Structure formats: structure tokens, C-alpha cells
Amino acid sequence: MTRLVWTSLLGTCMVLPFLQSYEQERPQNGAAPQRSTAMGVYSREQWMRGRDVYAGQCAGCHPAVTHVGPIFTTSWAGKRLSDLFGFIRERMPKNDPGSLSEEEYVDVITYLLRLNGMPVGLEELPADSATLSRIRIDSSRVAPPARPDGR
Ligand code: HEC
């Protein structure tokens, strides 16, 4: 009897962590597990802040147009926003990687999305890796690319 209790207790302990991580990974609303950049995942104010970050911290080495079109889609289409965020945060600015705030990095990413014609939405994209990892970069339905000044 005692043995049986211990066995089932042990069994519960081993199963619980798996159940919990399953719960956390489930999409909150039960709908599609992922969003995509085609849905408008950043706001106008945000990409305009990102444009200023880019002008101040990035344009000295490469102009914004170098991130537009096939250069961008070949590397990033189908990937997650967390991949793009991670790449830029870990490697840029090339002379001082990681030197910007999380908010500046996420703002500058929305500027790159804007340049590549990904639609603008109403809410800001949060600098939160869990959220970013659930958003796929979708370049299949885009508006005409914006000029670097966004007009
Ligand atoms: C000191 C120069 C320098 C600065 C400043 C800089 N970069 Fe770069 N960047 C480079 C170089 C050189 C490459 C080529 C790839 C490599 O060496 O990693 C590159 C590559 C990239 C790429 C991948 C290639 C492409 O065109 O898509 C992205 C995206 C990028 N940089 C974004 C940024 C952003 C955003 C900033 C500002 C936060 C920034 N860089 C600041 C030098 C710089």
C-alpha cells in the first residue's frame, strides 16, 4: 500500500513539470498560435522613434535602404521577430553591440519592418522576447516599401 502511494506520488511529480510547460506554451485565446507582421504589430509613433534611433546610431555605417527588399526577406522572411531582435541586439551597432536599450532595439526593428512595407497597427510592439518569438516575419502581403524618411 505504502509502496503504491509513493509510486503514484513520484509519478505525479514527474508529470507535473511537463503539464505546466505545456500550459504556458498554449496560446492564450486558443486561436492561431502565432501572429505575423502582416497583422500590424507596431504603431506609427514607434517606427518614427525607431527612425530616429536608426539615424543616430546606425546610419553612420550603412544607410537604411541596405535593409530593404530581397536583402531583408532572404534573411528574415519566415523567421521570428525574436530572431531579428536577437541578431541586432547581439551584433549591432557593430562597434558597440548591445549598447542600446531594449526599447531602442525594438523601436529600430519596427522601423526596418516599416521600410519593408509591413503594415502599421495601433499597438506598440513590446520589447519582450516571449511576445517577439510568437510573431512571424511575413513578407508575402506588404504595402509598397516606405522611403527611408517614411513619407
Ligand atoms: C560601426 C558600424 C556599424 C554600426 C554603427 C551599425 N552597423 Fe549594422 N552592420 C555593420 C556591418 C559591417 C554589417 C555587415 C555584417 C556584419 O559584419 O555583421 C552590418 C550588418 C547589419 C545588418 C544585417 C545586414 C542587412 O543589411 O540586413 C543589420 C540588420 C544591421 N547591420 C542593423 C544595424 C542597426 C539596426 C544598427 C543600429 C542599432 C546598426 N546596424 C549599426 C556595421 C554597423
Side-chain angles (χ1 to χ4, degrees), residues 28 58 83 104 135 149:
Q28 305 258 299
C58 320
D83 298 325
E104 287 173 318
I135 304 176
D149 62 4

Side-chain angles (χ1 to χ4, degrees), residues 4-148:
L4 191 69
V5 170
W6 277 115
T7 314
S8 59
L9 262 182
L10 200 67
T12 315
C13 293
M14 281 157 60
V15 167
L16 259 181
F18 291 107
L19 282 181
Q20 276 164 357
S21 61
Y22 174 72
E23 279 297 320
Q24 281 159 10
E25 275 161 24
R26 245 176 36 185
Q28 305 258 299
N29 54 11
Q34 276 194 13
R35 293 155 69 205
S36 98
T37 55
M39 296 170 180
V41 294
Y42 62 92
S43 71
R44 181 168 188 272
E45 291 72 26
Q46 188 172 26
W47 75 254
M48 291 177 77
R49 285 201 309 270
R51 180 185 59 184
D52 294 343
V53 173
Y54 194 93
Q57 313 274 354
C58 320
C61 286
H62 37 55
V65 292
T66 59
H67 311 294
V68 178
I71 299 173
F72 183 85
T73 48
T74 306
S75 305
W76 302 111
K79 301 254 174 65
R80 291 152 184 259
L81 275 186
S82 49
D83 298 325
L84 180 60
F85 182 77
F87 172 87
I88 292 181
R89 190 177 52 172
E90 278 159 35
R91 306 202 25 192
M92 296 293 145
K94 187 88 178 162
N95 53 348
D96 193 6
S99 58
L100 278 57
S101 72
E102 303 268 292
E103 284 71 26
E104 287 173 318
Y105 277 118
V106 83
D107 289 352
V108 90
I109 281 179
T110 66
Y111 177 52
L112 300 188
L113 298 180
R114 175 73 190 107
L115 289 176
N116 283 280
M118 314 272 169
V120 180
L122 296 176
E123 289 186 17
E124 299 221 340
L125 186 66
D128 157 40
S129 54
T131 304
L132 296 177
S133 70
R134 283 195 290 269
I135 304 176
R136 197 169 43 84
I137 301 173
D138 181 355
S139 60
S140 63
R141 280 175 294 150
V142 296
R147 292 187 358 199

